Amino acid sequence: MRNPIIVALDVPAADAALKLVEQLAPVSGGFKIGGELFTSAGPDIVRRIRERGALVFLDLKFHDIPNTVAKAVASATRLGVQMLTIHTSGGFEMMRAAEEAAQQTAKQIGGPAPLVLGVTVLTSFNGSTLAEIGCEANVGAQVERLATLAAKAGLRGLVCSPLEIADLRQFLPSHMQLVTPGIRTGAEKADDQKRTLTPREAMDAGANWLVIGRPIYAAENPRRAAEKILESIF
Ligand code: C5P
C-alpha cells in the first residue's frame, strides 16, 4: 500500500530541509514545501528533493487571474512537483485554467500531470472572519460551495481539515483526493492546531494523504515518530 504521510518541511533553509529528507525519505510518502522554505531556498530545493526520488507537494496556494495561475502551474509542472495548491476562491475559470495547464504541460514534457489541489476555507477562518470579507458566515456551507465548484472545474483533489473529510465524502465524486493537515497523535505537546484527528481517524474518515509537520520534524527522533505513525495506520 502507498505511504500516505507527507512531511511538511516547515524549516527556513535548504540544509535543514535536506537533513530531514535524508532521515525521512524511507518512511514518508513525500514532502511538502511551503512559502517559507520556497522563498528562501528557491526552485532548487524542489530539484534536490526530486533527485532523491521523493514526491514533492508545492504548497504555494496560487490565487491570481486565470492566465497568471495557469503559468505558475505550468512552471511547477516543469519543475517536476507531484502536487500543488491553488485557492478555490480564485473562481471556476481560474481553477479550470490551472488544471488545463497541469495537463497540457505534463503532456508536453511527457510525464504525469501533478495533482492540482484546491484550498477551500483556511482553517484560520471562522464565521466572523468570513463575514468580514463579504462571504456567507457559515464555514461549512462555504466549504461545500467551493468544493463543489472545484469538482465542476475539473480539479482532482482538495486540501481540507480532517473534520471536514466525512462531510465532503458525502457529495464529492469518489475519485477526488483529499489531503489533510491538522493531524495529531496525542503524544505531542499542544500547539496552534485546535481541531485535529489522529492519523488512523483521518484515514478511516476517507483521507488519501496526511500532511504532518511538527509531530514528526519536532520529535526527538523524527524517523521513529514517522515509523510509529505508519504503524498506527497499517
Ligand atoms: O506542524 P503541523 O503538523 O501543524 O503542520 C501542518 C502543515 O499543514 C503546515 O505546513 C501548515 O501550514 C499546513 N496547513 C495547516 N492547516 C491548513 C492548511 C495547511 O496546518 N488548513
Side-chain angles (χ1 to χ4, degrees):
M1 238 208 250
R2 173 174 62 69
N3 183 335
I5 300 176
I6 298 178
V7 180
L9 295 173
D10 292 331
V11 292
D15 51 355
L18 290 169
K19 207 171 138 199
L20 282 169
V21 171
E22 216 55 71
Q23 265 179 295
L24 294 167
V27 291
S28 320
F31 295 93
K32 182 171 87 77
I33 298 175
E36 181 189 18
L37 181 60
F38 191 80
T39 305
S40 83
D44 196 47
I45 187 66
V46 176
R47 294 187 197 102
R48 291 174 74 179
I49 296 174
R50 291 293 301 131
E51 275 165 17
R52 287 163 166 76
L55 173 158
V56 170
F57 171 8
L58 187 64
D59 186 19
L60 299 180
K61 298 188 179 66
F62 298 132
H63 186 172
D64 210 315
I65 58 172
N67 182 57
T68 302
V69 168
K71 286 180 174 172
V73 170
S75 288
T77 306
R78 281 191 289 268
L79 192 54
V81 309
Q82 282 64 53
M83 296 182 186
L84 61 98
T85 42
I86 63 172
H87 272 286
T88 56
S89 52
F92 182 86
E93 284 305 327
M94 190 201 89
M95 290 191 270
R96 200 169 61 175
E99 180 62 33
E100 270 177 24
Q103 301 283 354
Q104 282 173 9
T105 311
K107 209 182 259 177
Q108 283 161 15
I109 61 176
L115 188 60
V116 178
L117 297 165
V119 173
T120 59
V121 178
L122 293 171
T123 46
S124 52
F125 269 69
N126 60 22
S128 54
T129 40
L130 270 181
E132 199 173 77
I133 58 160
C135 294
E136 185 181 355
N138 178 320
V139 175
Q142 184 69 2
V143 168
E144 181 167 339
R145 173 193 286 245
L146 290 170
T148 305
L149 194 65
K152 268 195 202 140
L155 294 200
R156 293 161 292 133
L158 291 173
V159 178
C160 64
S161 142
L163 294 147
E164 290 163 0
I165 300 169
D167 284 347
L168 288 170
R169 282 287 176 223
Q170 302 282 318
F171 63 86
L172 282 178
S174 58
H175 71 263
M176 203 80 164
Q177 298 208 37
L178 297 181
V179 180
T180 181
I183 300 296
R184 289 296 178 268
T185 65
E188 57 285 290
K189 50 181 180 334
D191 51 41
D192 58 352
Q193 295 282 14
K194 304 269 182 265
R195 299 166 69 233
T196 64
L197 288 186
T198 67
R200 172 85 257 166
E201 287 167 340
M203 293 302 290
D204 286 347
N208 300 95
W209 299 93
L210 310 175
V211 172
I212 309 179
R214 288 162 288 183
I216 294 179
Y217 72 71
E220 213 169 294
N221 182 337
R223 180 157 172 151
R224 185 68 203 120
E227 282 168 352
K228 271 178 137 167
I229 291 172
L230 259 190
E231 285 159 17
S232 77
I233 296 171
F234 296 117

Coordinates of all heavy atoms in Angstrom, one line a residue, residues 58-150:
L58 N 4.1 21.1 -3.6 CA 4.5 22.5 -3.6 C 3.3 23.3 -3.1 O 2.3 23.5 -3.9 CB 4.9 23.0 -5.0 CG 5.5 24.4 -5.1 CD1 6.8 24.5 -4.2 CD2 5.7 24.8 -6.5
D59 N 3.3 23.8 -1.9 CA 2.1 24.4 -1.3 C 2.3 25.9 -1.3 O 2.6 26.5 -0.2 CB 2.0 23.8 0.2 CG 0.7 24.3 0.8 OD1 -0.2 24.8 0.1 OD2 0.7 24.3 2.1
L60 N 2.1 26.5 -2.4 CA 2.2 28.0 -2.6 C 0.9 28.7 -2.7 O 0.8 29.9 -2.8 CB 3.2 28.3 -3.7 CG 4.6 27.8 -3.6 CD1 5.5 28.2 -4.8 CD2 5.3 28.3 -2.3
K61 N -0.2 27.9 -2.7 CA -1.6 28.4 -2.7 C -1.8 29.6 -3.7 O -2.1 30.7 -3.3 CB -2.0 28.8 -1.3 CG -2.0 27.7 -0.3 CD -2.6 28.1 1.0 CE -2.6 27.0 2.0 NZ -1.3 26.5 2.5
F62 N -1.6 29.2 -5.0 CA -1.7 30.3 -6.0 C -3.1 30.9 -6.1 O -4.1 30.1 -5.9 CB -1.4 29.7 -7.4 CG 0.0 29.2 -7.6 CD1 0.2 27.9 -8.1 CD2 1.1 29.9 -7.1 CE1 1.5 27.5 -8.3 CE2 2.4 29.5 -7.3 CZ 2.6 28.2 -7.8
H63 N -3.2 32.2 -6.2 CA -4.5 32.9 -6.3 C -4.3 34.2 -7.1 O -3.8 35.1 -6.6 CB -5.0 33.2 -4.9 CG -6.4 33.8 -4.8 ND1 -7.1 34.0 -3.6 CD2 -7.3 34.2 -5.8 CE1 -8.3 34.5 -3.9 NE2 -8.4 34.6 -5.2
D64 N -4.7 34.1 -8.4 CA -4.5 35.3 -9.2 C -5.4 35.2 -10.4 O -6.3 34.3 -10.4 CB -3.0 35.3 -9.7 CG -2.5 36.7 -9.9 OD1 -3.2 37.5 -10.6 OD2 -1.4 37.0 -9.5
I65 N -5.3 36.0 -11.4 CA -6.1 35.9 -12.6 C -5.8 34.5 -13.3 O -4.7 34.0 -13.1 CB -5.9 37.1 -13.6 CG1 -4.5 37.2 -14.0 CG2 -6.4 38.4 -13.0 CD1 -4.3 38.2 -15.2
P66 N -6.7 34.0 -14.0 CA -6.5 32.6 -14.6 C -5.2 32.4 -15.4 O -4.5 31.5 -15.2 CB -7.8 32.4 -15.5 CG -8.8 33.3 -14.8 CD -8.1 34.5 -14.3
N67 N -4.9 33.4 -16.2 CA -3.7 33.3 -17.1 C -2.4 33.2 -16.2 O -1.5 32.4 -16.5 CB -3.6 34.5 -18.0 CG -2.5 34.5 -18.9 OD1 -2.3 33.5 -19.7 ND2 -1.6 35.5 -18.9
T68 N -2.4 34.0 -15.2 CA -1.2 34.0 -14.3 C -1.1 32.7 -13.5 O 0.0 32.2 -13.4 CB -1.3 35.3 -13.4 OG1 -1.3 36.4 -14.2 CG2 0.0 35.4 -12.5
V69 N -2.2 32.3 -13.0 CA -2.2 31.0 -12.2 C -1.8 29.8 -13.2 O -1.0 29.0 -12.8 CB -3.5 30.8 -11.5 CG1 -3.6 29.3 -11.0 CG2 -3.7 31.8 -10.4
A70 N -2.3 29.9 -14.4 CA -2.0 28.8 -15.3 C -0.5 28.7 -15.6 O 0.1 27.7 -15.6 CB -2.8 29.0 -16.6
K71 N 0.1 29.9 -15.7 CA 1.6 30.0 -16.0 C 2.4 29.5 -14.8 O 3.4 28.8 -14.9 CB 2.0 31.4 -16.4 CG 1.5 31.7 -17.8 CD 1.9 33.1 -18.2 CE 1.6 33.4 -19.6 NZ 1.8 34.8 -20.0
A72 N 1.9 29.8 -13.6 CA 2.6 29.3 -12.4 C 2.5 27.8 -12.3 O 3.4 27.1 -11.9 CB 2.0 30.0 -11.1
V73 N 1.3 27.3 -12.6 CA 1.1 25.8 -12.5 C 2.0 25.1 -13.6 O 2.6 24.1 -13.3 CB -0.4 25.5 -12.7 CG1 -0.6 24.0 -12.9 CG2 -1.2 26.0 -11.5
A74 N 2.1 25.8 -14.8 CA 2.9 25.2 -15.8 C 4.4 25.1 -15.3 O 5.1 24.1 -15.5 CB 2.8 26.0 -17.1
S75 N 4.8 26.2 -14.7 CA 6.2 26.2 -14.2 C 6.4 25.1 -13.1 O 7.4 24.5 -13.1 CB 6.5 27.6 -13.5 OG 6.7 28.5 -14.5
A76 N 5.4 25.0 -12.2 CA 5.6 24.0 -11.2 C 5.6 22.6 -11.8 O 6.3 21.7 -11.3 CB 4.4 24.1 -10.2
T77 N 4.8 22.4 -12.9 CA 4.8 21.1 -13.6 C 6.1 20.8 -14.2 O 6.7 19.7 -14.1 CB 3.6 21.1 -14.6 OG1 2.4 21.4 -14.0 CG2 3.5 19.7 -15.3
R78 N 6.7 21.8 -14.8 CA 8.0 21.6 -15.4 C 9.1 21.4 -14.4 O 10.1 20.6 -14.6 CB 8.4 22.8 -16.3 CG 7.7 22.8 -17.7 CD 8.3 23.8 -18.6 NE 8.0 25.2 -18.2 CZ 6.9 25.8 -18.6 NH1 6.1 25.3 -19.5 NH2 6.6 27.0 -18.2
L79 N 8.9 21.9 -13.2 CA 9.8 21.7 -12.1 C 9.8 20.3 -11.6 O 10.7 19.8 -11.0 CB 9.5 22.7 -11.0 CG 10.4 23.0 -9.8 CD1 11.8 23.3 -10.3 CD2 9.9 24.1 -8.9
G80 N 8.7 19.6 -11.9 CA 8.6 18.2 -11.5 C 7.9 17.9 -10.2 O 8.1 16.8 -9.6
V81 N 7.0 18.8 -9.7 CA 6.3 18.5 -8.5 C 5.1 17.5 -8.8 O 4.6 17.5 -9.9 CB 5.8 19.8 -7.8 CG1 6.9 20.8 -7.6 CG2 4.6 20.4 -8.5
Q82 N 4.7 16.8 -7.7 CA 3.6 15.9 -7.9 C 2.2 16.4 -7.4 O 1.2 15.9 -7.8 CB 3.9 14.6 -7.1 CG 4.8 13.6 -7.8 CD 6.2 14.2 -8.0 OE1 6.8 14.7 -7.0 NE2 6.7 14.3 -9.2
M83 N 2.3 17.4 -6.5 CA 1.1 18.1 -6.0 C 1.4 19.6 -5.9 O 2.5 19.9 -5.5 CB 0.7 17.6 -4.6 CG 0.4 16.1 -4.6 SD -0.1 15.8 -2.8 CE -0.3 14.0 -2.9
L84 N 0.3 20.4 -6.0 CA 0.5 21.8 -5.8 C -0.9 22.3 -5.4 O -1.9 21.7 -5.6 CB 1.0 22.5 -7.0 CG 0.1 22.5 -8.3 CD1 -0.7 23.7 -8.4 CD2 1.0 22.3 -9.5
T85 N -0.9 23.5 -4.8 CA -2.2 24.1 -4.3 C -2.6 25.4 -5.0 O -1.7 26.2 -5.3 CB -2.1 24.4 -2.8 OG1 -0.9 25.0 -2.5 CG2 -2.4 23.2 -1.9
I86 N -3.9 25.6 -5.2 CA -4.4 26.8 -5.6 C -5.6 27.2 -4.7 O -6.2 26.2 -4.1 CB -4.9 26.8 -7.1 CG1 -6.1 25.8 -7.3 CG2 -3.8 26.4 -8.0 CD1 -6.7 25.8 -8.7
H87 N -6.0 28.4 -4.6 CA -7.2 28.8 -3.8 C -8.4 28.7 -4.7 O -8.6 29.3 -5.7 CB -7.1 30.3 -3.4 CG -6.4 30.5 -2.1 ND1 -7.0 30.1 -0.9 CD2 -5.1 30.9 -1.8 CE1 -6.1 30.4 0.1 NE2 -5.0 30.9 -0.4
T88 N -9.4 27.9 -4.2 CA -10.7 27.7 -4.9 C -11.4 29.0 -5.0 O -12.2 29.2 -5.9 CB -11.6 26.7 -4.3 OG1 -11.8 27.0 -2.9 CG2 -11.0 25.3 -4.3
S89 N -11.2 29.9 -4.1 CA -11.9 31.2 -4.1 C -11.4 32.1 -5.3 O -12.0 33.2 -5.5 CB -11.7 32.0 -2.8 OG -10.4 32.1 -2.5
G90 N -10.4 31.6 -6.0 CA -10.0 32.3 -7.3 C -11.0 32.1 -8.4 O -11.0 32.8 -9.4
G91 N -12.0 31.2 -8.2 CA -13.1 31.0 -9.1 C -13.0 29.9 -10.1 O -11.9 29.3 -10.3
F92 N -14.1 29.6 -10.7 CA -14.2 28.5 -11.7 C -13.1 28.6 -12.8 O -12.4 27.6 -13.1 CB -15.6 28.5 -12.3 CG -15.9 27.3 -13.2 CD1 -16.3 26.1 -12.7 CD2 -15.7 27.5 -14.6 CE1 -16.5 25.0 -13.6 CE2 -16.0 26.5 -15.5 CZ -16.4 25.2 -15.0
E93 N -13.1 29.7 -13.5 CA -12.2 29.9 -14.6 C -10.7 29.7 -14.2 O -9.9 29.1 -14.9 CB -12.4 31.2 -15.3 CG -13.6 31.3 -16.2 CD -13.7 30.2 -17.2 OE1 -12.7 29.8 -17.8 OE2 -14.9 29.8 -17.5
M94 N -10.4 30.2 -13.1 CA -9.0 30.1 -12.6 C -8.7 28.6 -12.3 O -7.6 28.2 -12.7 CB -8.8 31.0 -11.3 CG -7.4 31.1 -10.9 SD -7.2 31.5 -9.2 CE -7.2 29.9 -8.4
M95 N -9.6 27.9 -11.7 CA -9.3 26.5 -11.4 C -9.2 25.7 -12.7 O -8.4 24.8 -12.8 CB -10.4 26.0 -10.5 CG -10.4 26.5 -9.1 SD -11.5 25.6 -8.0 CE -13.0 26.5 -8.1
R96 N -10.1 26.0 -13.6 CA -10.1 25.2 -14.9 C -8.8 25.5 -15.6 O -8.2 24.6 -16.2 CB -11.3 25.6 -15.8 CG -11.6 24.5 -16.8 CD -12.9 24.7 -17.5 NE -12.9 26.0 -18.2 CZ -13.9 26.4 -19.0 NH1 -14.9 25.6 -19.1 NH2 -13.9 27.5 -19.6
A97 N -8.4 26.8 -15.6 CA -7.1 27.1 -16.3 C -5.9 26.4 -15.6 O -5.0 26.0 -16.3 CB -6.9 28.6 -16.3
A98 N -6.0 26.3 -14.3 CA -4.9 25.7 -13.6 C -4.8 24.2 -13.9 O -3.7 23.6 -14.2 CB -5.1 25.8 -12.1
E99 N -6.0 23.5 -13.9 CA -6.0 22.1 -14.3 C -5.5 21.8 -15.7 O -4.7 20.9 -16.0 CB -7.4 21.5 -14.0 CG -7.6 20.0 -14.3 CD -6.7 19.1 -13.4 OE1 -6.5 19.5 -12.2 OE2 -6.3 18.1 -13.9
E100 N -6.0 22.7 -16.6 CA -5.6 22.5 -18.0 C -4.1 22.7 -18.2 O -3.5 22.0 -19.0 CB -6.4 23.6 -18.9 CG -7.7 23.0 -19.4 CD -8.4 24.1 -20.2 OE1 -7.8 25.1 -20.7 OE2 -9.7 24.0 -20.2
A101 N -3.6 23.7 -17.5 CA -2.1 24.0 -17.6 C -1.3 22.8 -17.1 O -0.3 22.4 -17.7 CB -1.8 25.2 -16.8
A102 N -1.8 22.2 -16.0 CA -1.1 21.0 -15.5 C -1.1 19.8 -16.5 O -0.1 19.2 -16.8 CB -1.8 20.5 -14.2
Q103 N -2.3 19.6 -17.1 CA -2.5 18.5 -18.1 C -1.6 18.8 -19.3 O -0.9 17.9 -19.8 CB -3.9 18.3 -18.5 CG -4.9 18.1 -17.3 CD -4.8 16.6 -16.8 OE1 -4.2 15.8 -17.4 NE2 -5.5 16.3 -15.7
Q104 N -1.8 20.0 -19.9 CA -1.1 20.3 -21.1 C 0.4 20.3 -21.0 O 1.2 19.8 -21.8 CB -1.5 21.6 -21.7 CG -2.9 21.5 -22.3 CD -3.5 22.8 -22.8 OE1 -2.8 23.9 -22.7 NE2 -4.7 22.9 -23.1
T105 N 0.9 20.9 -19.9 CA 2.4 20.9 -19.7 C 2.9 19.5 -19.5 O 4.0 19.2 -20.0 CB 2.7 21.8 -18.5 OG1 2.0 23.0 -18.6 CG2 4.2 22.1 -18.4
A106 N 2.2 18.7 -18.7 CA 2.6 17.3 -18.5 C 2.7 16.6 -19.8 O 3.7 15.8 -20.0 CB 1.7 16.6 -17.5
K107 N 1.8 16.8 -20.7 CA 1.8 16.1 -22.0 C 3.0 16.6 -22.8 O 3.7 15.8 -23.4 CB 0.5 16.5 -22.8 CG 0.1 15.5 -23.7 CD -1.2 15.9 -24.5 CE -2.4 15.2 -24.0 NZ -3.6 15.7 -24.7
Q108 N 3.3 17.9 -22.8 CA 4.5 18.4 -23.5 C 5.8 17.8 -23.0 O 6.7 17.5 -23.8 CB 4.6 19.9 -23.3 CG 3.6 20.7 -24.2 CD 3.4 22.2 -23.6 OE1 4.2 22.6 -22.8 NE2 2.4 22.8 -24.0
I109 N 5.9 17.6 -21.7 CA 7.2 17.1 -21.2 C 7.1 15.6 -21.0 O 8.1 15.0 -20.6 CB 7.6 17.8 -19.8 CG1 6.6 17.5 -18.7 CG2 7.8 19.3 -20.0 CD1 7.0 18.1 -17.4
G110 N 6.0 15.0 -21.3 CA 5.9 13.5 -21.4 C 5.9 12.9 -20.0 O 6.5 11.8 -19.8
G111 N 5.3 13.6 -19.0 CA 5.2 13.0 -17.7 C 3.8 13.1 -17.2 O 2.9 13.5 -17.9
P112 N 3.5 12.5 -16.0 CA 2.1 12.6 -15.4 C 1.8 14.0 -14.9 O 2.7 14.8 -14.5 CB 2.2 11.6 -14.2 CG 3.6 11.5 -13.9 CD 4.4 11.9 -15.1
A113 N 0.6 14.4 -15.0 CA 0.2 15.8 -14.5 C 0.2 15.8 -13.0 O -0.3 14.8 -12.4 CB -1.2 16.1 -15.0
P114 N 0.7 16.9 -12.4 CA 0.6 17.0 -10.9 C -0.9 17.1 -10.5 O -1.7 17.5 -11.3 CB 1.4 18.2 -10.6 CG 1.3 19.1 -11.9 CD 1.3 18.1 -13.0
L115 N -1.1 16.7 -9.3 CA -2.4 16.8 -8.7 C -2.6 18.3 -8.2 O -1.9 18.7 -7.4 CB -2.5 15.9 -7.5 CG -3.9 15.7 -6.8 CD1 -4.9 15.1 -7.8 CD2 -3.7 14.7 -5.6
V116 N -3.5 19.0 -8.9 CA -3.8 20.4 -8.5 C -4.9 20.4 -7.4 O -6.0 19.9 -7.6 CB -4.3 21.2 -9.7 CG1 -4.6 22.6 -9.3 CG2 -3.3 21.2 -10.9
L117 N -4.5 20.8 -6.2 CA -5.3 20.7 -5.1 C -6.0 22.0 -4.8 O -5.3 23.0 -4.7 CB -4.5 20.2 -3.8 CG -3.9 18.9 -3.9 CD1 -2.8 18.7 -2.8 CD2 -4.9 17.8 -3.8
G118 N -7.3 22.0 -4.5 CA -8.0 23.3 -4.2 C -8.0 23.5 -2.7 O -8.3 22.5 -1.9
V119 N -7.7 24.7 -2.3 CA -7.8 25.0 -0.8 C -9.2 25.8 -0.7 O -9.4 26.7 -1.5 CB -6.7 26.0 -0.4 CG1 -6.9 26.5 1.0 CG2 -5.3 25.3 -0.5
T120 N -10.0 25.3 0.2 CA -11.3 26.0 0.3 C -11.3 27.1 1.3 O -10.7 28.2 1.0 CB -12.4 24.9 0.7 OG1 -12.1 24.3 1.9 CG2 -12.6 23.9 -0.4
V121 N -11.8 26.9 2.5 CA -11.7 28.0 3.6 C -10.5 27.6 4.5 O -10.5 26.5 5.0 CB -13.0 28.0 4.4 CG1 -13.0 29.1 5.5 CG2 -14.2 28.3 3.4
L122 N -9.6 28.6 4.6 CA -8.5 28.4 5.5 C -9.0 28.0 6.9 O -10.0 28.6 7.4 CB -7.6 29.6 5.6 CG -6.9 30.0 4.3 CD1 -6.2 31.3 4.4 CD2 -5.8 28.9 3.9
T123 N -8.3 27.2 7.6 CA -8.7 26.8 9.0 C -8.5 27.9 10.0 O -9.0 27.9 11.1 CB -8.0 25.5 9.5 OG1 -6.6 25.7 9.2 CG2 -8.5 24.3 8.8
S124 N -7.8 29.0 9.6 CA -7.7 30.2 10.5 C -9.0 31.0 10.4 O -9.1 32.0 11.1 CB -6.5 31.0 10.0 OG -6.5 31.3 8.7
F125 N -9.9 30.7 9.5 CA -11.2 31.4 9.3 C -12.3 30.8 10.2 O -12.3 29.6 10.4 CB -11.7 31.4 7.9 CG -11.1 32.6 7.1 CD1 -9.8 32.6 6.7 CD2 -12.0 33.6 6.6 CE1 -9.3 33.7 6.0 CE2 -11.5 34.6 5.8 CZ -10.1 34.7 5.5
N126 N -13.2 31.7 10.7 CA -14.4 31.3 11.3 C -15.5 32.1 10.7 O -15.3 32.9 9.7 CB -14.4 31.4 12.8 CG -14.1 32.8 13.3 OD1 -14.4 33.8 12.6 ND2 -13.6 33.0 14.5
G127 N -16.8 32.0 11.3 CA -17.9 32.7 10.7 C -17.7 34.2 10.6 O -18.0 34.8 9.6
S128 N -17.1 34.8 11.6 CA -17.0 36.3 11.6 C -15.9 36.7 10.7 O -16.0 37.8 10.0 CB -16.8 36.9 13.0 OG -15.8 36.3 13.7
T129 N -14.8 35.9 10.5 CA -13.8 36.4 9.6 C -14.3 36.2 8.1 O -13.9 37.0 7.2 CB -12.4 35.7 9.8 OG1 -12.7 34.3 10.1 CG2 -11.6 36.3 10.9
L130 N -15.1 35.2 7.9 CA -15.7 35.0 6.6 C -16.6 36.2 6.3 O -16.6 36.8 5.2 CB -16.6 33.8 6.5 CG -15.9 32.5 6.1 CD1 -16.9 31.3 6.0 CD2 -15.2 32.6 4.7
A131 N -17.5 36.6 7.2 CA -18.4 37.7 7.1 C -17.6 39.0 6.8 O -18.0 39.9 6.0 CB -19.3 37.9 8.3
E132 N -16.5 39.2 7.5 CA -15.6 40.3 7.3 C -15.2 40.6 5.9 O -15.1 41.7 5.4 CB -14.4 40.0 8.2 CG -13.5 41.1 8.6 CD -12.4 40.5 9.5 OE1 -11.4 39.9 9.0 OE2 -12.5 40.7 10.7
I133 N -15.0 39.5 5.1 CA -14.6 39.7 3.7 C -15.8 39.5 2.8 O -15.6 39.3 1.6 CB -13.4 38.7 3.3 CG1 -13.8 37.2 3.5 CG2 -12.1 39.1 4.1 CD1 -12.9 36.3 2.8
G134 N -17.0 39.5 3.3 CA -18.2 39.6 2.5 C -18.7 38.2 2.0 O -19.4 38.1 1.1
C135 N -18.3 37.1 2.7 CA -18.8 35.8 2.4 C -19.9 35.4 3.3 O -20.0 35.9 4.4 CB -17.6 34.8 2.4 SG -16.4 35.0 1.2
E136 N -20.6 34.4 2.9 CA -21.6 33.8 3.8 C -20.9 33.3 5.1 O -19.9 32.7 5.1 CB -22.2 32.5 3.1 CG -23.3 31.9 3.9 CD -23.8 30.6 3.1 OE1 -23.4 30.4 2.0 OE2 -24.7 30.0 3.7
A137 N -21.5 33.7 6.3 CA -20.8 33.5 7.5 C -21.0 32.1 8.1 O -21.1 31.9 9.3 CB -21.3 34.5 8.6
N138 N -21.0 31.1 7.2 CA -21.1 29.7 7.6 C -20.0 28.9 7.0 O -20.0 28.7 5.8 CB -22.5 29.2 7.2 CG -22.7 27.8 7.6 OD1 -21.8 26.9 7.5 ND2 -23.9 27.5 8.1
V139 N -19.0 28.5 7.8 CA -17.8 27.9 7.2 C -18.2 26.6 6.5 O -17.7 26.4 5.3 CB -16.8 27.6 8.4 CG1 -15.6 26.8 7.8 CG2 -16.3 28.9 9.0
G140 N -19.0 25.8 7.1 CA -19.4 24.5 6.4 C -20.0 24.7 5.0 O -19.7 24.1 4.1
A141 N -21.0 25.7 5.0 CA -21.6 26.0 3.7 C -20.7 26.5 2.7 O -20.7 26.2 1.5 CB -22.8 27.0 3.9
Q142 N -19.7 27.4 3.1 CA -18.8 27.9 2.2 C -17.8 26.9 1.7 O -17.4 26.8 0.5 CB -18.0 29.1 2.9 CG -17.0 29.9 2.0 CD -17.7 30.7 0.9 OE1 -18.9 30.8 0.8 NE2 -16.9 31.3 0.1
V143 N -17.4 26.0 2.6 CA -16.5 24.8 2.2 C -17.2 24.0 1.1 O -16.7 23.7 0.1 CB -16.1 24.0 3.4 CG1 -15.4 22.7 2.9 CG2 -15.2 24.7 4.3
E144 N -18.5 23.7 1.4 CA -19.3 22.9 0.4 C -19.4 23.6 -0.9 O -19.2 23.0 -2.0 CB -20.7 22.5 1.0 CG -21.5 21.7 0.1 CD -22.7 21.1 0.7 OE1 -22.8 21.0 2.0 OE2 -23.6 20.7 -0.1
R145 N -19.7 24.9 -0.9 CA -19.8 25.6 -2.1 C -18.6 25.6 -3.0 O -18.5 25.3 -4.2 CB -20.2 27.1 -1.8 CG -20.2 28.0 -3.0 CD -20.2 29.5 -2.5 NE -21.6 29.8 -2.0 CZ -22.4 30.7 -2.6 NH1 -22.0 31.3 -3.6 NH2 -23.6 30.9 -2.1
L146 N -17.4 25.9 -2.3 CA -16.1 25.9 -3.0 C -15.7 24.5 -3.5 O -15.1 24.4 -4.6 CB -15.1 26.6 -2.1 CG -15.3 28.1 -1.9 CD1 -14.3 28.6 -0.8 CD2 -15.1 28.9 -3.2
A147 N -15.9 23.5 -2.7 CA -15.5 22.1 -3.0 C -16.3 21.7 -4.2 O -15.8 21.0 -5.2 CB -15.8 21.2 -1.8
T148 N -17.6 22.0 -4.3 CA -18.5 21.6 -5.4 C -18.0 22.3 -6.7 O -17.9 21.7 -7.8 CB -19.9 22.0 -5.1 OG1 -20.3 21.4 -3.9 CG2 -20.9 21.5 -6.2
L149 N -17.6 23.6 -6.6 CA -17.2 24.4 -7.7 C -15.8 23.8 -8.2 O -15.6 23.7 -9.4 CB -17.0 25.8 -7.3 CG -16.8 26.9 -8.4 CD1 -18.0 27.0 -9.3 CD2 -16.4 28.2 -7.8
A150 N -15.0 23.4 -7.3 CA -13.7 22.8 -7.6 C -13.9 21.5 -8.4 O -13.2 21.3 -9.5 CB -12.8 22.5 -6.4

